[in-house]
């Protein structure tokens, strides 16, 4: 599995492993209301403990769903700015548990 612990997949089949804020922005920019209506970000593997989806809405804007079963979080919001969505998702993802990711412990001398 290497250093890749999660990925973003769009309805049209595009995938980016461990997407940056800029990569998420690009994926969200490609959403439309016909054949590429959503992006899902989640850990790789079976039965992910968290996920986030962004879906384009018919009336404009986007619906964002964030769910983290380990923390008992489930939030549904709407937004119109993909800049804001990409930034917020990047921060949210950074705070998630990433199965398989090694953690580093920093100790003071």
């Amino acid at each position: 599995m290497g250093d890749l612990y999660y990925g973003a997949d769009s309805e049209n089949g595009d995938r980016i492993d461990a997407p940056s804020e800029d990569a998420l922005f690009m994926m969200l920019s490609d959403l439309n209301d016909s054949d590429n209506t959503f992006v899902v970000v989640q850990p790789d593997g079976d039965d992910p403990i968290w996920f986030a989806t962004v879906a384009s809405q018919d009336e404009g804007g986007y619906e964002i769903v964030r769910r983290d079963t380990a923390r008992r979080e489930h939030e549904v919001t709407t937004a119109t700015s993909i800049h804001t969505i990409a930034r917020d998702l990047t921060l949210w993802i950074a705070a998630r548990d990433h199965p398989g990711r090694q953690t580093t412990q920093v100790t003071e001398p």
Side-chain angles (χ1 to χ4, degrees):
M1 189 156 79
D3 289 335
L4 307 177
Y5 304 105
Y6 66 95
D9 298 284
S10 63
E11 182 179 16
N12 70 358
D14 287 344
R15 173 164 175 94
I16 298 177
D17 293 319
S20 65
E21 181 178 338
D22 289 340
L24 285 172
F25 176 84
M26 289 177 12
M27 289 185 89
L28 297 175
S29 296
D30 289 340
L31 292 180
N32 59 54
D33 17 339
S34 60
D35 63 347
N36 192 33
T37 61
F38 65 86
V39 171
V40 177
V41 183
Q42 63 186 10
D44 295 331
D46 297 331
D47 199 22
I49 60 172
W50 60 263
F51 71 87
T53 63
V54 179
S56 61
Q57 296 181 313
D58 292 335
E59 60 278 357
Y62 304 89
E63 179 182 80
I64 304 98
V65 177
R66 295 178 186 97
R67 183 159 180 99
D68 186 329
T69 58
R71 297 177 186 202
R72 296 184 180 166
E73 295 174 358
H74 184 204
E75 179 182 3
V76 179
T77 60
T78 59
T80 56
S81 168
I82 58 175
H83 290 283
T84 301
I85 297 168
R87 183 192 67 232
D88 290 352
L89 277 182
T90 301
L91 294 171
W92 187 83
I93 292 165
R96 300 305 100 196
D97 292 327
H98 295 269
R101 176 174 68 181
Q102 293 181 346
T103 57
T104 51
Q105 183 175 359
V106 177
T107 56
E108 296 293 324

